[in-house]
Amino acid sequence: MNKEIFNNKLFEKLDKDNLIENSREWSNEIDSKWNYNDVVGILKSWESLNTIGLEYIDSIVNCLTDIGKDILINGSPEAKLYNILTEEGMSPAEANKQFGATAFGSAKNKGWIEVKGGKIFKKVESINDIVKSDLSNSNLNNLDNKILEQYKKSRFIEEKKLSYYRVIKGEQYNKRSKELSDLTVEMLKDDTWEKESFKVNINAMGVVPEQGYRHPLNKVKNEFKQIFLDMGFEEMPTFNFVENGFWNFDALFQPQQHPARELQDTFFIKDPKTSHDFSDEYCERVKQVHSVGGYGSLGWIYDWKLEEAEKNILRTHTTAVSARMLYKLAQNGFKPKKYFSIDRVFRNETLDATHLAEFHQVEGVIADVDISLGHLIGVISEFFKRLGIDNVRFKPAFNPYTEPSMEIFGYHPILKRWVELGNSGIFRPELLLPMGIPENVRVAAWGLSLERPTMIKYGLDNIRAIFGNSINVNFIKNNPIYIKIFHHKPESVLSELEDFLNINNIYYEKEKEKEENDASKTLGLPIDLS
């Protein structure tokens, strides 16, 4: 609600009549969309300044039930029965079933219908729905007491306890403004702070607090998470770093002789070495599709071993969590879903400028009917666009558990080359159908690193500069997140914004304009969100 409009209406009423007898009725007359709790909040704020006085009053009012509200829209039960009758008639049993036992009796008593040959027919050409007319009365208390009690018994009307305030002028009635102690985010958003007076000097420069600062990875991680949430995704639980080979590989239709399952690529757990947290029925279906094929596939044609699937490892990707979620989704009755996760994964890789043995994976999964690779490309492109990385490419690739598959690349302005961001594709039927996922459902999935997009975002050429012992503490403290503000505001507003950034020594950079009247021009602003 608009506080300025509310205050104008409030004092206009008090200037004219000296009081407001019922605050609830008055606010509803002014604007029925106003939230009454907000109304009370503003009234109490004026009471605290002694500008107005409030007297709390409890009252009992008659109001419509849900049944009564339905009658206002669709008519009374007897009227609905009358209106649905055709020349063929309707049996009393069917009428009672559709409209309740009282509708038939009431319509008959009013002379609207008659029974011939065991069927109900219209007796008059038109009717006057008195019940609907009564309930449309703006003040239900004006109804005859006998009729009012009858409607209460029929559960059309009910009594409710409603409180309100009697508003009068206060001793300091002419005091129409107050000094505020806080400058809120809402004031900054709608510029109402310009019309307020404050107890403190809001133009004074603040002191930079000595405190910890959020790690750039966590900043980007939270930005990733917010983008996913804004796009309607639901976060998956990723608290288990240790997985067994079944969920990490076998359930994803990755063969047991795949190089990724060897010691040079995967960390195996010594104690406990094995685990078994999957059903025998599902395990048998997975074994079958690996060994001899199924669901239109030849499989991998090898001797699948349970002991290999039971080996515990540090998960090599969060797709193991996606497999668990899809299996659970299939067992509980499939519904279209969009999942995401951001957490650590582990791979026995050679360390270099862009690779680590421990890193974060950003996982996205979309399960719906008949989605395609085009949907996947669109979602990934939109995701990176919201992140501020516009230069993205897709390249055909091979993955054991997706077909078709694509690698995702982003251009690194410092390295002057394309850097791999992740992998994506459509899950294969050999993965989905053993879980019990319906045949017409497609699942688009992608896995992206968190570190590499962060490198591109902050212009770094070595992944160890943001992860590990070589990290620069000042880098954590000083480096901002790069965000975009679109040029939809007047030039004067942008000019004021630049002045503010310059006064407060905040670094910003204007992007080059592509076209003179391009609506997508942006001002790049690295703002520290710590």
Side-chain angles (χ1 to χ4, degrees):
M1 62 185 299
N2 189 304
K3 287 185 179 180
E4 185 176 354
I5 294 177
F6 176 89
N7 290 332
N8 288 338
K9 294 291 183 181
L10 172 66
F11 293 117
E12 181 182 306
K13 175 69 173 177
L14 291 176
D15 287 342
K16 180 181 178 183
D17 300 332
N18 294 321
L19 65 83
I20 296 173
E21 197 64 50
N22 187 319
S23 60
R24 190 181 290 273
E25 291 181 359
W26 170 78
S27 64
N28 195 52
E29 289 173 3
I30 300 299
D31 192 333
S32 59
K33 296 180 181 178
W34 281 352
N35 185 307
Y36 186 64
N37 289 331
D38 294 338
V39 171
V40 171
I42 299 175
L43 291 176
K44 284 187 173 294
S45 69
W46 287 117
E47 183 190 32
S48 67
L49 296 174
N50 214 9
T51 304
I52 63 173
L54 300 177
E55 179 186 352
Y56 180 81
I57 299 173
D58 272 332
S59 67
I60 303 297
V61 298
N62 293 306
C63 56
L64 295 179
T65 63
D66 290 340
I67 298 175
K69 293 175 183 177
D70 180 72
I71 291 174
L72 275 185
I73 300 172
N74 302 311
S76 63
E78 55 265 32
K80 288 192 280 188
L81 169 60
Y82 175 86
N83 290 328
I84 204 173
L85 289 176
T86 63
E87 295 180 354
E88 298 176 356
M90 177 185 290
S91 69
E94 181 64 24
N96 290 339
K97 181 179 179 182
Q98 288 194 42
F99 306 103
T102 59
F104 170 70
S106 181
K108 187 176 180 181
N109 291 337
K110 292 177 180 179
W112 293 354
I113 60 174
E114 59 184 349
V115 179
K116 294 180 181 178
K119 286 193 173 184
I120 305 171
F121 295 91
K122 290 182 179 179
K123 188 176 180 180
V124 294
E125 292 296 325
S126 62
I127 61 171
N128 179 20
D129 193 352
I130 299 175
V131 176
K132 181 177 180 180
S133 299
D134 287 345
L135 297 185
S136 63
N137 196 320
S138 59
N139 189 349
L140 297 175
N141 292 324
N142 293 334
L143 294 175
D144 181 78
N145 287 337
K146 186 176 180 181
I147 295 176
L148 187 61
E149 289 303 317
Q150 180 182 340
Y151 288 161
K152 288 180 181 179
K153 186 179 293 185
S154 300
R155 292 185 296 175
F156 299 161
I157 295 175
E158 63 181 351
E159 289 185 350
K160 278 190 176 180
K161 182 179 179 181
L162 289 179
S163 62
Y164 63 89
Y165 287 94
R166 186 173 183 268
V167 186
I168 60 174
K169 292 181 178 180
E171 294 180 2
Q172 302 290 329
Y173 180 68
N174 292 325
K175 187 177 181 180
R176 300 295 173 85
S177 64
K178 54 184 177 179
E179 289 186 338
L180 304 179
S181 57
D182 295 317
L183 178 65
T184 65
V185 174
E186 288 72 21
M187 293 180 191
L188 294 174
K189 285 182 178 179
D190 57 20
D191 295 329
T192 54
W193 65 273
E194 296 176 342
K195 302 175 183 178
E196 302 288 355
S197 58
F198 295 87
K199 297 178 181 178
V200 296
N201 179 11
I202 62 172
N203 296 315
M205 297 296 292
V207 177
V208 178
E210 289 297 327
Q211 62 182 20
Y213 293 85
R214 296 181 66 186
H215 194 286
L217 274 176
N218 281 335
K219 291 183 180 181
V220 179
K221 179 180 178 180
N222 285 344
E223 192 175 359
F224 269 49
K225 182 175 180 178
Q226 190 58 52
I227 291 172
F228 271 120
L229 294 174
D230 290 344
M231 293 174 69
F233 283 74
E234 175 185 338
E235 188 168 12
M236 295 186 285
T238 56
F239 45 80
N240 52 322
F241 288 171
V242 177
E243 284 282 6
N244 53 46
F246 181 84
W247 290 110
N248 199 85
F249 298 118
D250 297 279
L252 298 175
F253 195 57
Q254 192 161 341
Q256 293 184 341
Q257 69 271 28
H258 194 279
R261 302 180 72 153
E262 299 297 330
L263 282 171
Q264 63 266 26
D265 288 312
T266 302
F267 294 107
F268 287 84
I269 305 298
K270 286 185 178 181
D271 186 22
K273 294 184 67 173
T274 62
S275 63
H276 190 114
D277 61 346
F278 41 89
S279 70
D280 293 339
E281 294 82 0
Y282 179 40
C283 178
E284 184 60 32
R285 292 195 295 270
V286 171
K287 174 183 178 180
Q288 185 77 9
V289 77
H290 275 253
S291 303
V292 297
Y295 311 103
S297 170
L298 294 176
W300 298 112
I301 311 177
Y302 70 98
D303 183 18
W304 187 88
K305 296 179 180 180
L306 177 61
E307 53 268 26
E308 187 69 27
E310 291 178 333
K311 289 182 179 179
N312 285 334
I313 62 172
L314 288 178
R315 66 182 179 205
T316 61
H317 48 200
T318 52
T319 315
V321 181
S322 301
R324 290 179 180 271
M325 295 298 291
L326 289 172
Y327 177 74
K328 182 179 179 181
L329 183 63
Q331 306 315 301
N332 295 337
F334 176 79
K335 294 180 181 179
K337 284 284 186 179
K338 292 192 288 186
Y339 293 123
F340 83 94
S341 65
I342 307 173
D343 213 336
R344 294 189 181 188
V345 296
F346 310 86
R347 295 182 190 174
N348 194 2
E349 295 198 17
T350 303
L351 306 186
D352 59 28
T354 58
H355 292 82
L356 289 174
E358 175 185 353
F359 58 95
H360 292 79
Q361 180 175 336
V362 181
E363 177 101 8
V365 177
I366 303 176
D368 207 340
V369 177
D370 294 333
I371 58 177
S372 67
L373 198 65
H375 293 93
L376 179 60
I377 292 174
V379 170
I380 294 175
S381 299
E382 176 63 21
F383 176 84
F384 277 105
K385 183 179 179 181
R386 294 189 183 204
L387 188 63
I389 301 175
D390 296 322
N391 213 351
V392 178
R393 281 183 182 176
F394 300 89
K395 175 185 174 183
F398 169 78
N399 287 316
Y401 47 88
T402 59
E403 180 59 39
S405 306
M406 302 180 299
E407 290 179 340
I408 309 164
F409 292 85
Y411 188 74
H412 197 302
I414 304 298
L415 297 178
K416 303 295 183 184
R417 62 182 175 87
W418 293 89
V419 177
E420 182 184 351
L421 299 177
N423 248 305
S424 64
I426 306 295
F427 277 156
R428 294 177 63 144
E430 297 97 324
L431 185 162
L432 300 175
L433 298 181
M435 293 179 172
I437 297 289
E439 291 187 8
N440 63 336
V441 171
R442 304 289 180 268
V443 178
W446 66 100
L448 316 169
S449 70
L450 179 65
E451 285 75 12
R452 292 180 188 174
T454 304
M455 290 171 63
I456 295 175
K457 200 172 188 67
Y458 287 98
L460 300 174
D461 60 359
N462 194 320
I463 195 171
R464 286 163 287 197
I466 57 170
F467 201 90
N469 295 331
S470 61
I471 190 166
N472 186 331
V473 176
N474 288 327
F475 167 78
I476 297 178
K477 179 178 179 180
N478 298 326
N479 265 281
I481 275 185
Y482 185 86
I483 63 174
K484 289 185 176 182
I485 296 179
F486 289 91
H487 276 228
H488 62 281
K489 289 185 176 292
E491 191 65 34
S492 59
V493 175
L494 293 174
S495 177
E496 290 179 10
L497 181 57
E498 290 182 78
D499 291 341
F500 171 81
L501 296 173
N502 289 324
I503 291 171
N504 291 278
N505 297 317
I506 297 176
Y507 170 75
Y508 67 94
E509 178 182 338
K510 278 187 176 180
E511 288 190 346
K512 292 182 179 179
E513 299 180 357
K514 296 179 181 178
E515 295 180 10
E516 187 63 28
N517 295 317
D518 187 358
S520 65
K521 298 172 188 172
T522 59
L523 179 65
L525 303 173
I527 304 296
D528 193 339
L529 301 181
S530 60

